[in-house]
Amino acid sequence: MTDQTDTNLRSLLNDVLGLGPARAAALTGDSGLFGALPELDSMAVASLLTEIEDRFDVVIEDDEVDGDMLGTFGDLLAFIRAKRGEA
């Protein structure tokens, strides 16, 4: 089941990384991101984080950014939900 945060994150990844709707829709909680998606390189991380802050109205501190947060789609989704105070 997808919710609005999930849907918005897929849209954001499509927009920022140019994955295409089909690839974005096919992401599962276990789908690897950083190190697994060639589009998500170190240069793209900054753009991705800026878009997350803008679209989800959160502030991401430098010390919160690590490999675990960007490890999988599920990790990033859980991070955003936690930042927004969602269950």
Side-chain angles (χ1 to χ4, degrees):
M1 178 177 156
T2 60
D3 57 38
Q4 198 60 46
T5 302
D6 181 292
T7 301
N8 291 345
L9 179 56
R10 290 173 192 278
S11 176
L12 183 149
L13 290 170
N14 178 41
D15 294 347
V16 173
L17 303 179
L19 296 182
R23 280 181 69 201
L27 292 171
T28 68
D30 294 330
S31 294
L33 295 181
F34 192 71
L37 292 177
E39 297 88 350
L40 185 57
D41 58 17
S42 56
M43 297 297 290
V45 168
S47 297
L48 180 67
L49 296 177
T50 299
E51 273 303 306
I52 289 171
E53 288 183 324
D54 290 348
R55 293 195 196 187
F56 291 101
D57 194 28
V58 297
V59 175
I60 301 171
E61 303 297 337
D62 290 343
D63 64 353
E64 293 177 309
V65 180
D66 60 25
D68 292 339
M69 167 213 186
L70 294 169
T72 65
F73 178 78
D75 293 336
L76 185 55
L77 184 59
F79 174 81
I80 293 168
R81 286 181 171 147
K83 291 294 285 183
R84 298 184 78 202
E86 297 175 8

